[in-house]
Amino acid sequence: MLVNPRFIALLLAFFISAVTTTFLSFVEDTTETVLFVAGISSFGVAFFVIMYAIEILVYREVTKMHETIQRLQLKDFNVPRKSIVKANNPFKKLNQDIFVYVAKKQREIDELKKLEIFRREFLADVSHELKTPIFAAQGFIHTLIDGAIDDPNVRDKFLQKAAKSLDGLDALVKDLMALSQLETGEIKMQLQPTDLRLLTLEICEQLEQKALARQVTLKIKPDKLAHVWVKADPQRMNQVMTNLIDNAIKYGHQNGKVIVHFEEEKKHFTVSVRDNGPGIHEDDLPRIFERFYRVEKSRSREKGGTGLGLAIVKHILNAHGSKIGVSSKLEKGTNFTFSLEKVNDKNTA
Ligand SMILES: Nc1ncnc2c1ncn2[C@@H]1O[C@H](COP(=O)(O)OP(=O)(O)O)[C@@H](O)[C@H]1O
Ligand SMILES: [Mg+2]
């Protein structure tokens, strides 16, 4: 609909002049010339006065408000200039703009609220996680000072326990730092041709004792693949593979099996780390990548876990442009998979 000040003024002026001439026509001795002049002049005066009033009092102010909202939109949301609605009716324009602006601001507020809750929870989690090993070490050391130091058996046991708690604290702080550096982008991935098979072999050798202690067999398959050249940061991939294999050993069954499987595809290698352990319940499955989420809190801590391993794994793989997937069946086992870009000629990656 065409609603602009000129149209409204024209309409109202026409109405006023019609009323004026109608009234005048009832007055005796009014000639047609007088009616005509009165009609024209009332129309002209009414038109300019109404036009001026609308222009000055309403239209300009509304247009100014509309321009302010547009400026805010451009500044706050980087909305492309083209996408801003062009309507003739300034009230409609203003209404639309305010609606869009408020909706976007609301979304921003919701996002900030979510972040604030997340930050608060994270702080509470970190404090709790730090407190546990500190209190434990503190307890052992105080007991020693209070006299237990004189008994050589108790002394060694308590010192070892205090040292274990402090090792846990060290691992936790290291993981927290790694996570924060990954999030702030401080750690940049040094992508280079990396033989993931060789890297996995080295990790398996490092974890051999741990696997032996639980009588877990570690295998890399298939045998025919001598090298798995991928474009990756070797140091970070070491963290990823170590955590996945370490998890599979410690959360799998005693006497269990852990298999690292590589599958060659056109442009990628798909890597999977499988175990035949107790598996993860489907309710827990989507949450295991959250910081400090553990299926069994006490069991994980007792095994020396910080609860940050999989969060770090997820971050590192995301930084490689990949994604970690997991599938698990209770009493059958768990399978973690991800893909990495293949390097055909390892010197040109
Ligand atoms: N292979 C697995 N089998 C069963 N549960 C697992 C496996 N891998 C991870 N989990 C569960 O996911 C949780 C998070 O793993 P992670 O982030 O590496 O923490 P952590 O190893 O420090 O406990 C573990 O506490 C464990 O409950
Ligand atoms: Mg772990």
Side-chain angles (χ1 to χ4, degrees):
M1 196 178 73
L2 188 68
V3 181
N4 62 34
R6 206 164 296 169
F7 181 72
I8 296 170
L10 214 68
L11 215 69
L12 283 175
F14 183 73
F15 179 71
I16 289 167
S17 97
V19 172
T20 316
T21 41
T22 316
F23 270 112
L24 266 181
S25 65
F26 292 122
V27 179
E28 266 177 55
D29 301 334
T30 312
T31 61
E32 273 181 13
T33 324
V34 171
L35 277 181
F36 180 72
V37 172
I40 290 289
S41 51
S42 62
F43 178 83
V45 171
F47 176 76
F48 285 111
V49 169
I50 292 166
M51 175 79 181
Y52 180 78
I54 295 178
E55 266 285 316
I56 298 291
L57 300 176
V58 186
Y59 193 80
R60 271 189 211 169
E61 290 310 313
V62 171
T63 310
K64 253 189 249 163
M65 280 157 73
H66 170 65
E67 279 167 7
T68 312
I69 296 270
Q70 274 192 356
R71 258 201 308 277
L72 284 173
Q73 276 189 336
L74 288 168
K75 198 172 111 246
D76 284 8
F77 308 122
N78 293 323
V79 176
R81 218 167 258 279
K82 270 190 277 173
S83 74
I84 289 175
V85 197
K86 288 235 178 339
N88 275 329
N89 184 338
F91 293 101
K92 209 172 182 178
K93 257 196 293 193
L94 188 66
N95 201 0
Q96 269 172 346
D97 283 350
I98 289 176
F99 182 77
V100 171
Y101 187 74
V102 168
K104 281 181 180 165
K105 275 278 167 218
Q106 191 56 49
R107 237 176 288 148
E108 237 177 53
I109 293 168
D110 290 347
E111 195 64 31
L112 285 173
K113 271 188 194 157
K114 240 189 270 164
L115 279 176
E116 173 58 22
I117 294 170
F118 179 75
R119 194 192 64 84
R120 234 184 292 149
E121 279 176 3
F122 183 59
L123 206 63
D125 283 346
V126 170
S127 325
H128 178 77
E129 297 290 336
L130 287 173
K131 197 182 73 188
T132 314
I134 292 174
F135 272 22
Q138 203 180 23
F140 293 127
I141 290 166
H142 277 296
T143 319
L144 285 169
I145 293 170
D146 292 345
I149 199 152
D150 298 327
D151 183 337
N153 274 340
V154 177
R155 183 188 63 198
D156 288 355
K157 208 166 90 185
F158 276 29
L159 277 175
Q160 264 166 13
K161 285 193 172 184
K164 200 179 160 203
S165 291
L166 292 175
D167 285 346
L169 189 66
D170 179 50
L172 177 62
V173 173
K174 277 189 186 140
D175 275 1
L176 274 172
M177 277 173 67
L179 203 58
S180 103
Q181 284 170 338
L182 280 165
E183 281 191 350
T184 53
E186 222 172 290
I187 299 181
K188 291 264 176 303
M189 296 297 132
Q190 310 284 332
L191 298 184
Q192 52 190 272
T194 305
D195 185 356
L196 211 54
R197 193 179 203 281
L198 183 67
L199 196 135
T200 308
L201 208 64
E202 285 165 5
I203 293 168
C204 287
E205 278 165 17
Q206 281 165 21
L207 293 174
E208 207 176 279
Q209 283 307 316
K210 204 169 184 174
L212 220 60
R214 289 179 58 77
Q215 283 141 12
V216 171
T217 42
L218 293 177
K219 273 205 179 118
I220 301 177
K221 285 189 171 178
D223 292 328
K224 62 179 188 336
L225 259 179
H227 299 284
V228 174
W229 286 104
V230 289
K231 197 170 161 186
D233 181 326
Q235 206 189 335
R236 302 292 149 213
M237 283 321 294
N238 193 312
Q239 264 176 296
V240 168
M241 295 307 286
T242 304
N243 187 52
L244 292 179
I245 299 171
D246 177 65
N247 278 354
I249 296 172
K250 63 183 185 182
Y251 297 118
H253 284 310
Q254 200 132 9
N255 279 314
K257 252 196 248 167
V258 176
I259 298 169
V260 181
H261 189 271
F262 297 106
E263 194 176 326
E264 189 167 8
E265 281 158 41
K266 230 180 180 179
K267 291 188 173 165
H268 295 90
F269 268 110
T270 297
V271 186
S272 51
V273 181
R274 293 176 205 158
D275 64 64
N276 60 349
I280 305 167
H281 195 277
E282 59 176 323
D283 293 344
D284 295 308
L285 213 51
R287 302 199 58 189
I288 55 169
F289 298 101
E290 288 175 16
R291 297 152 179 194
F292 299 123
Y293 191 84
R294 301 160 171 119
V295 177
E296 284 177 75
K297 283 229 176 245
S298 56
R299 201 164 148 240
S300 158
R301 253 200 222 104
E302 168 199 311
K303 284 167 187 269
T306 63
L308 293 173
L310 287 178
I312 295 175
V313 165
K314 187 178 163 183
H315 257 293
I316 295 176
L317 288 172
N318 283 354
H320 278 80
S322 179
K323 231 173 131 183
I324 178 107
V326 60
S327 59
S328 189
K329 267 214 168 101
L330 287 179
E331 284 317 317
K332 286 264 190 290
T334 308
N335 185 10
F336 286 92
T337 51
F338 62 89
S339 291
L340 283 173
E341 200 180 316
K342 211 159 93 175
V343 177
N344 285 324
D345 179 358
K346 64 181 167 55
N347 297 316
T348 57

